Amino acid sequence: MRLATLARHALSRGTTPAATYALLARRTHKPLPSARAVCLALTIPLAETTRRLDDCYDALLANPRPNSETDTGELLEALGVFDVPASLTPTELAVVDHFLAAVDAMGGIRPGHQHGLTRWFTTGNLTAAYLSLAAAQPLPRTGDPARYWTALVTAGELLTTTPNPDTRITYALTHCRTQAATRT
């Protein structure tokens, strides 16, 4: 628990999760306990922390290179290991369901885009997810454009019902409606 206390202290002083990991790992020479301490200090549940760290243990934490703590911390952060899960409302969960339907109708998705969407779903940044999907296109041969744009129209309509919706959602929703109208 001592490492988690140090991590909480560093985070409370404005240190990023990546920099907090680097600080702890540099001091202790124990990458796994350092990463676990940062996750726990961020209030990520232990079971989820364990799952996330198991996923990247062999590649990043098992045999670290000397003086690689900063790079490893930045990679852990980029991979979403330190993403704090948001509690989504029923409306937000419905939005995510429509996003997943759109991704399915896309007919294929780049791994980087999929990773970004997963992180936004975890952290509750549904605006970024919506704008990203609205800017994308279903694949010409394998996608289902009518289903894709319909799912995004429904998701956008739900997002505009939330308190203080981002104005960019309105513009993206207009674009999605236009695309859906041309597909029916």
Side-chain angles (χ1 to χ4, degrees):
M1 280 315 237
R2 182 172 169 257
L3 279 180
T5 301
L6 290 173
R8 269 191 295 283
H9 178 70
L11 292 166
S12 73
R13 297 179 58 81
T15 307
T16 65
T20 300
Y21 165 81
L23 173 76
L24 296 177
R26 202 172 290 116
R27 284 185 181 177
T28 65
H29 303 288
K30 296 179 181 179
L32 180 61
S34 298
R36 184 181 300 115
V38 174
C39 288
L40 295 176
L42 290 167
T43 68
I44 298 170
L46 180 59
E48 178 64 12
T49 293
T50 302
R51 186 195 63 76
R52 291 179 186 190
L53 294 176
D54 284 349
D55 286 348
C56 65
Y57 177 76
D58 290 336
L60 294 175
L61 302 171
N63 297 303
R65 293 184 337 266
N67 302 316
S68 66
E69 297 87 1
T70 300
D71 293 339
T72 300
E74 289 173 2
L75 277 170
L76 290 169
E77 194 163 323
L79 289 171
V81 171
F82 301 137
D83 286 352
V84 178
S87 295
L88 301 180
T89 67
T91 300
E92 291 169 330
L93 290 170
V95 169
V96 171
D97 286 341
H98 290 291
F99 287 163
L100 294 173
V103 168
D104 185 53
M106 193 179 242
I109 188 166
R110 294 182 339 269
H113 193 187
Q114 180 67 46
H115 176 70
L117 289 170
T118 301
R119 291 190 69 193
W120 292 324
F121 297 165
T122 299
T123 60
N125 190 349
L126 302 185
T127 297
Y130 185 70
L131 296 174
S132 172
L133 287 168
Q137 294 283 331
L139 295 176
R141 292 190 179 149
T142 57
D144 182 345
R147 196 165 59 103
Y148 180 77
W149 294 111
T150 300
L152 289 181
V153 166
T154 306
E157 289 169 348
L158 287 171
L159 284 171
T160 60
T161 66
T162 61
N164 304 317
D166 189 313
T167 55
R168 296 174 298 170
I169 292 172
T170 305
Y171 295 115
L173 176 56
T174 301
H175 169 72
C176 293
R177 284 183 176 139
T178 301
Q179 293 297 318
T182 64
R183 305 299 194 254
T184 56

